[in-house]
Each structure stands twice: as C-alpha cells, then as structure tokens.
C-alpha cells in the first residue's frame, strides 16, 4: 500500500486498498477527505478544476463564509491557489449526502420526512443569510447526520464560491412559493404528524419536491422559507416514541474506515468488560464498558490508525493518560487506558457523572444572564488547568464541557436538575474533555469557535475572552445549536447589553487583540449587578419604585451581590438591636430610574470606575466587595456582628467541635515535656547528676590503677629485698651467730611509691639468720649496694 500523500499540513485519507477517499467528483471540482495534522480534525479539501475568472470574488466569498460561521454550516478553514489550482478547505460533516440517502429509501415515516424538511430549510436560511452561497443542487451539498434515536441534522458541507452561476439563481426565486405549496400539500395529504407507528410516504416523491423547493431558495425568500419551516414544524408530533428504523438510519462517513466493534472488543478482552455494543447515535464511535481491575465505568473508542490520521493523535492520547491522572488536573476528564493490541489502538476515558452543556441546552434551550455567568466562571478554572497541562487541545464542543454534579446522566436527580435554574442546584463543578475523540475529530457536536472570525495572527491561547463570548452566545440563546430554536424571554435590556459586550469581544479576535478571560468576566459581572440593582423591589409601592436607581458597582454588599447574581440569600436572622416584629427599612435612592445607562464603559476594554481606580483587572470577588467598608452605615442598619456573636449555634451538638482530650493526658504531656527540657538544659550547663558521678568515678579508678607494695605474709617465705638508704652505716663484715636471736623488726624508710604516713615492718621467720635473708640479690634499679656475705 502506498504512503498517504500530504498537501501542506493536510494528510489525504486512504481506504484499506490504498486509494484516496473521494467525496465529490464532477465537472467543477474534486473533493477528498483529509486530516488536519495541526488541529487534529478531519476536513474536506475542495480543488476547483478550472482557473478562476475573478479571483477577488472568490476571495470575498470565502472571507464572508469564514467571518460569519454557523453551527449548521461547515467551517471555512482555508482558501487560496496552489500552482494555479484554486482550492478551499472546509470542516468535515460526518454524514451521508441527502440525495443518495433519499434515493436508497423506498418509503419513510411521515414524521421523519417532516423533520428532514424542517432541518433542511433551517440550513438553507443560514446559508442565505450569509449571501448567495447556496448551491444549485442543495441535495448534493447537504449531508444528513443522526444525533439521537429520533433526531437528525441536515448540514451544509459545500457552498457556491464562484460567481458564474449567480445570475441563474435569480431566475428561480419567484418559483419558491409554488414549490413550497407543493411540498406542504404533499406532506398534509400523506397525513402529516402521525404518531408511531405512522403512515409511510414514498421517499422518491418527497426527494423530488424537497429538492425543487431548496433549489428555488435564495436571499430574497428568507422570510418565506422561515414561514414554511414554521408551518411544517406544527405538523410534527411533539413527543415521539421508538427510533428511526435501522434501514433508514443515515450512515456515518468515517465508520467504514475504522475497525468493527467486534475487533475493538477483542483487543480489550482482558482489560475491559464490554457492557453493550448498542450504539449511541449522539456518540456513535464509543462503547460503554467497565475496567476489569478497578471496576470503573468507561467509554471505549478506537484511536484512528496512521492511514486515516497522523501518529500525533496517539502521542497526544499517551500524554493525556499521564496528565489527566494528576491531582492538579481535576478539571480534565480522566483518560483511564490507552492500549494497542492486534493492530488496533483503543482509548478508554472515565464516564463523567454529570450533565453536558449540550444536554442542558437541549432541555432548557437557553439560560438567563446570571446562570450563564456561573457556567463561564467555573469554566475559567478548568481552562486554566488545561493551559497549564500543555495539552494541544484545539476544540472544545458543548458535548465536551460537563457540569459535574455527582449524579449520572440517567439518574432521576439529573432529570430534575435539568429543569431547574443553575443557582438552585446544590453544587457543581465544570470539567472539560481535553483529549481528542473520534466524535470531535469527525466534526460532530457544536463547536462555539465557529462564530469566531479568523485572527490575523495566531493568539497565545485558543481559550481567550472571544471564545468565552462565543460560548455565552449559545448559552443565552443568541445563537442556537442545530435543531434547537431558542426564544429568550425577560431581561431584554440586560440581554441587549450583554449581546453588545459579546460582539465586542468577538470583534477583538479579528483584530488579533483578544482580551483576557478575567477582564471579560469582570465586565460581564458589572452588567449583571448594574441591571439587578436597577430592578425595583416587588414590595415597593409604584410611587417609590419609580425613584429607585442603579447603585454604583462598588457599593453593593456581599449579600446584595449574591442576590443580584441569582444566588440564594442566606437565612434571615433577627438582629439583637431591632425587634422581630419591626419590618425592615427600605432604602430609597435619589437618582431617577429613567436615567440613561452608559453602555460604552460596560463593553470597553478599560472599565470606568466610580472610585477612580487605575486597576484594569478586576475579579468578580473584588468587584462585589470593593469599597464596601467605605460606605456610611445607615442608622437603621442591623448590627450583623453583634447579632452573629450572640446568636445561638446553628449546628447540632454532635457537629460542634469540642475539646475531648482528658486532663490527665494534658498534665502527663506537660510534666514529661518539662523534664525533657530540664534534662537538656542541665546537660549543657554541666550540672547534670550523671556528669557529677562520672567526675567522682575517675579519681577512684586512677587510684585503683596505681601499683601497691608487696607486703610479705608472716608465713616462712622469702621476703623481697629492702632498700636501704645510702646514709645508713655499713654492715659489719662478720656477724656472730647467736643461738637464739630475737626477731628483729626492721623499719624501712619511707618509700616514694607508698603513701605517706605509713611504714612497713618485716618479721623474720624463726630458724633463719639475717645473712640468709639478705643473701637474695635485690631487684635491679633499687639503689641498694650491700657487700657480699663472707665465705665460710
């Protein structure tokens, strides 16, 4: 098999036989499937076969589509000329062309035909609002995508970017009303709006009438198209049961290029236990399973091989496997497993126990300004973790942003949360999916970045204030995802001001000067507080309500700001300084309500401040509490500090922290610590008892080690020689032997080795003379010089 070819940073996709995957081939162009190796997503490369007759018109058409994106339109990514061949790159639409889809069907349910007609008219209106870009045969440029058991989308995958057929289009506009009547009469005659099982209608007739109606559409009949869409929507049943029959389900574009679900399950047979291979059309490339070792629920999908994607996808998945398991990245969806076996690489991510923004918008259709701020502020923290992780994530869809509640999506408690305001939820965190998935790479879902114009230079981060503003437009219902018609109600002036702020932030992206997220959130919070403080209280009389004016942004207290943001106020307590029956005093502000509200400071880059501060970066908490202490306290204001100090405890007795350490343990620890500290101090000062005993033992040991004189015993044993000093008179030469001499006692002089004051007396044994006792030679070195005894 030949190596995949590459055009710039787009890799041309090949099938199993090594052939390029062609999407369109006609007399005007050739379109092939490719993979963007920088953004990690699939694209369509359109190459025009004829040279451009008007290059400027081609560029203007592509720039108009690039600057005004829509969720129902393929995004215009790049355009230009390469060696004389004009080309343009659009994002992938992972579905089947509408004409081949209707051609292969014999008949179809009436409610499905109505749904397809409504979605096709919505997409045609979106294309015509941007200019004369609708092709001559919309059925060959629209693709149908299934997004649920009973939900389909019809998206525009190609546009008319050449000027040569614009005049032909003008002649067909007058026939739209006629074609619309034919289509409406056909659907009504066949029994529009039946419940399942419903009456079927011939798919060939429906295809012919729908194609003629779309071919006659144009910029001049946008109102008529909307009216026809509204009429057909009324024929569609509100609640449907069952799902689209298997033979009538649209085919996914990438599914034939990937491994089968049996091959994926076989590659993970020892690692993951597959729960069910039943497809979820909202995410058709993944299966649910359970990790064998840990028992955690995961979503499993295949990592595309090298012939249909670049190797960088596998590298990013390996990096996400390490990064998302770190404690500092709790705001990212965890990748639990990346495994390669039998030439099939699979990825498993943990199932998020929460609600995605796509599910929230599908149920609520729009949320108010305060709720949108809660989502944006929580998302700011998750985006900061994503930036610090250095993962190369380039796309975050509504399906990739989750409100983590701790409840599974199928839980009944999640169903209750979906129909309630966000500020009434117990708590939630925002986490994002940062690793590439097949659903994101194939172009499924709603990407807020389609509303952003192309920047002149690449910004430092893709998650700037402009991206948050684009997301806020979807949350507030200013732009609706495909198949959802939002009709926001209430707070018209507040929404208009916020809409101007969002447009201003999106315009900065085109100028390559996107603001920081913190600045955008600060300006957004000012608008919320500005209009909430301007709202009159419900219990004020009309005469007084007319005198209430918006207070300065920096003068609100924490409780008022929480109420202004739609949060639940804390429970009311009775202050000690006022009677419980006394009604709370109402503030009256002197400024009139009809004072013109300056809009420019709310949307400008530098926010005007009443206090004259010079800090351009104001966080939300600082906004609420700045200069709160500098305002004079009204005389009738309750003393909250005294009330809180004297208030009874609000926690139960078993939750109040108390001292459970017994007194004897405290005393033992104190005494023991004191003894240890005293011993350390005595040791270093030299007064320790063990140091004194050691000093006394040393002299005794030295005395015991000194040599002592050998004292002879009274037994008849030879005595050692006695040293005689030199001063003694010499011994006589002959000593007569006495028959019975008395035992003399010799007093030896003081010996230096013997302690002073003690003498040594030697008793000579009986029957031995002095000559025999002295015949023994004295030891050497004693200094005694006695003459030898006389001979016998």
């Amino acid at each position: 098999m030949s190596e995949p070819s590459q055009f710039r940073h787009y890799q041309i996709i090949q099938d199993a036989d090594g052939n390029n995957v062609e999407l369109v081939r006609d007399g005007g162009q050739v379109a092939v499937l490719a993979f963007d190796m920088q953004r990690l997503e699939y694209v369509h490369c359109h190459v025009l076969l004829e040279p451009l007759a008007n290059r400027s018109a081609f560029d203007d058409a592509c720039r108009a589509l690039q600057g005004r994106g829509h969720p129902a339109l393929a995004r215009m990514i790049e355009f230009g000329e390469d060696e004389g061949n004009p080309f343009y790159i659009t994002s992938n639409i992972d579905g089947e062309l509408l004409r081949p889809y209707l051609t292969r069907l014999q008949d179809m349910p009436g409610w499905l035909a109505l749904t397809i007609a409504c979605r096709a008219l919505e997409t045609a209106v979106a294309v015509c609002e941007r200019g004369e870009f609708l092709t001559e045969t919309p059925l060959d440029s629209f693709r149908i995508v299934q997004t649920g058991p009973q939900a389909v989308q019809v998206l525009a995958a190609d546009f008319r970017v050449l000027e040569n057929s614009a005049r032909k289009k003008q002649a067909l506009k007058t026939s739209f009303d006629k074609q619309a009547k034919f289509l409406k009469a056909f659907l009504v005659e066949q029994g529009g709006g039946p419940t399942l099982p419903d009456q079927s209608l011939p798919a060939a007739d429906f295809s012919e009438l729908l194609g003629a109606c779309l071919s006659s559409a144009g910029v001049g009949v946008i109102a008529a198209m909307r009216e026809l869409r509204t009429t057909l929507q009324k024929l569609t049943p509100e609640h449907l049961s069952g799902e689209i029959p298997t033979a009538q389900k649209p085919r996914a574009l990438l599914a034939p290029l990937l491994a089968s679900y049996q091959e994926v399950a076989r590659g993970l047979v020892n690692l993951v236990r597959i729960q069910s291979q039943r497809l979820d059309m909202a995410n058709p490339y993944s299966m649910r399973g359970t990790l064998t070792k840990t028992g955690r629920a995961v979503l499993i999908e295949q990592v595309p091989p090298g012939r249909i994607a670049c190797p960088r996808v596998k590298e990013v998945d390996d990096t996400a496997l390490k990064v998302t398991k770190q404690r500092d990245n709790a705001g990212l969806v965890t990748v639990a497993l990346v495994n390669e076996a039998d030439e099939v690489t699979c990825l498993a991510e943990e199932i998020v126990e929460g609600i995605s923004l796509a599910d929230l918008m599908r149920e609520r259709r729009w949320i108010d300004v305060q709720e949108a701020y809660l989502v944006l502020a929580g998302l700011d923290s998750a985006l900061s973790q994503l930036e610090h992780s250095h993962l190369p994530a380039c796309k975050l869809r509504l399906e990739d942003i989750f409100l983590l509640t701790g409840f599974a999506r199928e839980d009944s408690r999640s169903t209750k949360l979906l129909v309630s305001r966000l500020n009434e939820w117990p708590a939630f965190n925002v986490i994002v999916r940062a690793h590439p998935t097949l659903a994101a790479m194939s172009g499924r879902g709603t990407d807020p970045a389609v509303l952003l114009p192309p920047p002149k230079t690449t910004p430092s981060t893709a998650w700037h204030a402009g991206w948050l503003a684009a997301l806020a437009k979807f949350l507030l219902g200013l732009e609706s995802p495909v198949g959802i018609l939002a009709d926001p109600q209430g707070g018209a002036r507040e929404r208009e001001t916020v809409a101007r702020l969002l447009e201003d932030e999106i315009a900065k992206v085109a100028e390559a000067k996107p603001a920081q997220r913190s600045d955008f959130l600060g300006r957004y919070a000012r608008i919320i507080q500005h209009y909430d403080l301007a709202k009159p209280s419900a219990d004020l009389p009309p005469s007084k309500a007319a005198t209430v004016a918006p207070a300065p942004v920096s003068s609100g207290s924490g409780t008022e700001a929480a109420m202004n943001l739609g949060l639940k106020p804390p429970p009311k307590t009775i202050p000690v300084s006022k009677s419980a029956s006394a009604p709370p005093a109402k503030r009256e502000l002197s400024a009139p309500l009809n004072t013109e509200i300056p809009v420019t400071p709310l949307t400008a880059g530098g926010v005007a401040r009443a206090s004259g501060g010079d800090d351009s970066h104001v966080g939300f908490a600082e906004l609420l509490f700045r200069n709160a202490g500098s305002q004079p306290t009204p005389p009738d204001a309750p003393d909250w500090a005294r009330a809180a100090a004297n208030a009874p405890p609000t926690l139960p007795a078993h939750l109040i922290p108390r001292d459970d350490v017994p007194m004897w343990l405290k005393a033992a620890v104190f005494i023991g610590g004191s003894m240890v500290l005293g011993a350390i101090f005595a040791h270093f000062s030299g007064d320790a008892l063990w140091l004194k005993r050691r000093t006394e033992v040393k002299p005794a040991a030295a005395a015991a080690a000194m040599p002592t004189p050998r004292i002879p015993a009274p037994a008849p044993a030879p005595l050692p020689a006695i040293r005689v000093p030199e001063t003694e008179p010499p011994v006589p030469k002959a000593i007569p032997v006495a028959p019975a001499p008395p035992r003399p006692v010799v007093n030896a002089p003081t010996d230096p080795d013997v302690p002073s004051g003690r003498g040594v007396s030697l008793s000579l044994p009986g029957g031995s003379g002095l000559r025999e006792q002295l015949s023994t030679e004295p030891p050497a070195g004693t200094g005694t010089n006695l003459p030898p005894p006389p001979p016998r």
Side-chain angles (χ1 to χ4, degrees):
M1 186 176 61
S2 61
E3 292 294 330
S5 57
Q6 183 174 337
F7 171 70
R8 299 190 177 183
H9 58 275
Y10 302 102
Q11 175 183 329
I12 308 303
I13 303 304
Q14 295 181 348
D15 56 14
D17 298 330
N19 302 320
N20 295 338
V21 179
E22 293 187 358
L23 304 175
V24 177
R25 176 176 287 273
D26 53 24
Q29 67 169 338
V30 175
V32 295
L33 183 64
F35 186 80
D36 190 342
M37 295 184 292
Q38 293 182 356
R39 295 179 53 85
L40 300 182
E41 64 178 358
Y42 290 95
V43 296
H44 295 178
C45 292
H46 303 262
V47 180
L48 303 181
L49 300 180
E50 297 180 0
L52 294 175
N54 189 346
R55 174 64 187 273
S56 60
F58 172 76
D59 293 344
D60 293 342
C62 292
R63 287 195 191 97
L65 291 170
Q66 199 174 39
R68 297 185 60 191
H70 191 272
L73 311 182
R75 186 177 184 182
M76 180 68 69
I77 300 176
E78 188 179 354
F79 61 92
E81 275 189 293
D82 182 72
E83 298 180 356
N85 297 322
F87 72 93
Y88 58 97
I89 312 295
T90 60
S91 59
N92 180 57
I93 304 296
D94 189 38
E96 187 177 0
L97 287 175
L98 192 54
R99 185 183 297 277
Y101 168 73
L102 295 176
T103 302
R104 67 180 176 88
L105 300 181
Q106 298 294 331
D107 50 16
M108 58 191 310
W111 66 266
L112 180 59
L114 287 169
T115 303
I116 293 176
C118 292
R119 299 295 175 264
L121 288 172
E122 292 173 4
T123 302
V125 169
V127 175
C128 294
E129 285 177 343
R130 278 132 184 93
E132 290 287 357
F133 303 126
L134 193 64
T135 60
E136 295 182 0
T137 55
L139 294 183
D140 294 328
S141 61
F142 286 3
R143 289 184 175 269
I144 180 171
V145 182
Q146 183 176 0
T147 58
Q150 307 152 354
V152 294
Q153 295 177 354
V154 178
L155 310 177
D158 197 6
F159 312 98
R160 187 183 58 182
V161 294
L162 299 179
E163 191 183 19
N164 52 10
S165 60
R167 296 179 181 177
K168 299 179 181 179
K169 194 72 176 177
Q170 298 292 334
L172 298 176
K173 292 181 180 179
T174 56
S175 63
F176 178 80
D177 292 339
K178 182 193 302 184
Q179 300 298 335
K181 291 180 180 178
F182 289 158
L183 178 62
K184 178 181 177 181
F186 172 76
L187 294 175
V188 173
E189 180 183 354
Q190 296 295 330
T195 57
L196 292 178
D198 56 0
Q199 182 179 357
S200 299
L201 53 85
D205 297 343
F206 171 74
S207 175
E208 181 180 358
L209 293 174
L210 180 62
C213 184
L214 294 177
S215 298
S216 60
V219 177
V221 292
I222 293 180
M225 286 191 291
R226 289 176 175 169
E227 182 180 357
L228 177 60
R229 187 262 172 205
T230 304
T231 303
L232 297 181
Q233 184 67 31
K234 294 178 181 179
L235 301 177
T236 307
E238 296 182 359
H239 303 285
L240 299 174
S241 59
E243 60 182 17
I244 301 176
T246 304
Q248 300 169 355
K249 291 183 177 180
R251 297 168 182 171
L253 180 60
L254 295 182
L257 304 175
L258 300 172
S260 63
Y261 289 96
Q262 290 77 11
E263 295 175 351
V264 174
R266 188 162 47 249
L268 297 172
V269 63
N270 295 326
L271 300 175
V272 180
R273 184 172 60 256
I274 304 298
Q275 295 179 353
S276 174
Q277 297 184 10
R278 181 179 178 83
L279 300 183
D280 179 13
M281 297 314 300
N283 196 3
Y285 298 111
S286 62
M287 297 182 296
R288 285 180 174 265
T290 305
L291 292 179
T292 305
K293 292 185 178 180
T294 61
R296 292 179 295 181
V298 292
L299 282 177
I300 307 158
E301 69 176 32
Q302 179 187 0
V303 178
R307 61 180 175 83
I308 62 174
C310 64
R312 186 164 174 255
V313 178
K314 174 67 166 50
E315 298 174 0
V316 174
D317 290 336
D318 292 335
T319 305
L321 178 64
K322 301 176 183 178
V323 171
T324 56
K325 291 183 178 180
Q326 298 177 2
R327 187 183 300 271
D328 297 336
N329 298 321
L332 307 180
V333 176
T334 303
V335 177
L337 176 67
V338 176
N339 181 68
E340 183 175 0
D342 298 335
E343 299 182 355
V344 177
T345 304
C346 302
L347 176 141
E349 67 173 44
E350 293 188 6
I351 295 180
V352 180
E353 299 294 338
I355 301 172
S356 66
L357 284 186
D359 294 335
L360 180 66
M361 300 310 299
R362 192 178 299 112
E363 185 70 26
R364 296 277 304 275
R365 299 180 181 271
W366 59 273
I367 58 178
D368 59 23
V369 176
Q370 292 84 355
E371 293 177 278
Y373 181 85
L374 295 179
V375 176
L376 297 178
L379 183 59
D380 178 50
S381 176
L383 293 178
S384 300
Q385 296 182 16
L386 176 58
E387 292 174 344
H388 294 159
S389 66
H390 301 291
L391 287 174
C394 300
K395 178 191 291 188
L396 280 181
R397 309 167 299 154
L398 296 183
E399 291 79 3
D400 296 329
I401 304 173
F402 298 90
L403 306 182
L404 185 63
T405 60
F407 309 135
R409 177 62 183 88
E410 299 80 8
D411 197 310
S412 59
R413 291 170 290 186
S414 296
T415 306
K416 296 179 181 178
L417 292 178
L418 280 174
V419 297
S420 59
R421 292 169 53 91
L422 294 181
N423 48 24
E424 296 176 359
W425 290 19
F428 68 92
N429 296 328
V430 180
I431 63 176
V432 298
R433 180 189 286 121
H435 58 276
T437 60
L438 278 174
M441 291 187 290
S442 63
R444 288 178 173 266
T446 304
D447 183 13
V450 298
L451 304 180
L452 298 179
K456 296 180 180 180
T457 59
T458 303
S460 58
T461 176
W463 320 117
H464 42 67
W467 187 88
L468 276 185
L471 175 63
K473 295 189 73 172
F474 284 99
L475 298 178
L476 298 175
L478 304 177
E479 288 285 349
S480 300
V482 180
I484 298 177
L485 294 180
D487 185 18
Q489 299 176 359
R493 295 184 60 189
E494 184 177 16
R495 286 181 177 274
E496 290 177 1
T497 306
V498 173
R500 286 193 292 267
L501 170 66
L502 302 181
E503 293 293 344
D504 182 43
E505 295 295 338
I506 293 176
K508 293 179 182 178
V509 177
E511 302 172 359
K513 298 178 181 179
Q516 297 182 359
R517 296 192 302 270
S518 58
D519 297 340
F520 166 70
L521 292 176
R523 290 191 288 273
Y524 194 107
R526 276 185 170 81
I527 296 176
I528 295 176
Q529 192 178 24
H530 181 85
Y531 280 96
D532 281 0
L533 293 179
K535 295 176 182 177
S537 301
D539 54 351
L540 287 178
S543 59
K544 292 186 178 181
T547 62
V548 179
V553 173
S554 59
S555 64
S557 63
T559 305
E560 292 174 346
M563 296 176 64
N564 293 335
L565 290 178
L567 304 177
K568 286 185 177 181
K572 297 180 180 180
T573 56
I574 301 175
V576 296
S577 59
K578 303 193 72 174
S579 173
S581 60
K586 301 178 178 60
R587 270 191 192 176
E588 296 185 8
L589 302 177
S590 58
L593 181 62
N594 56 4
T595 303
E596 183 179 358
I597 301 174
V599 177
T600 302
L602 298 177
T603 59
V607 182
R609 295 169 180 80
S611 59
D614 56 353
D615 186 9
S616 60
H617 304 282
V618 181
F620 181 57
E622 181 182 358
L623 171 68
L624 297 181
F625 300 103
R626 169 178 284 187
N627 298 333
S630 61
Q631 301 297 327
T633 303
D636 57 349
D639 191 352
W640 298 107
R642 184 182 303 175
N646 299 332
T650 58
L651 292 176
H654 67 280
L655 293 180
I656 299 178
R658 54 186 180 183
D659 191 4
D660 294 333
V661 182
M663 188 62 188
W664 65 267
L665 182 57
K666 292 182 179 180
V669 172
F670 176 77
I671 295 173
S674 302
M675 294 176 64
V676 171
L677 293 177
I680 294 174
F681 177 77
H683 180 81
F684 285 103
S685 62
D687 297 336
L689 180 62
W690 52 86
L691 295 179
K692 292 183 178 181
R693 294 185 59 184
R694 187 180 301 176
T695 306
E696 295 177 357
V697 169
K698 285 183 179 180
M706 295 177 58
T708 55
R710 288 178 289 182
I711 303 174
L719 298 175
I722 301 175
R723 291 187 302 173
V724 181
E726 298 179 357
T727 57
E728 291 184 359
V731 182
K733 297 181 179 180
I735 301 174
V737 179
R743 298 183 179 179
V745 178
V746 181
N747 294 328
T750 305
D751 190 86
D753 296 335
V754 180
S756 60
R758 296 180 60 185
V760 180
S761 61
L762 301 177
S763 300
L764 299 179
S768 62
L770 182 60
R771 184 177 56 187
E772 287 79 3
Q773 299 295 331
L774 299 178
S775 62
T776 305
E777 185 178 358
T782 58
T784 304
N785 189 9
L786 298 178
R792 292 182 180 181

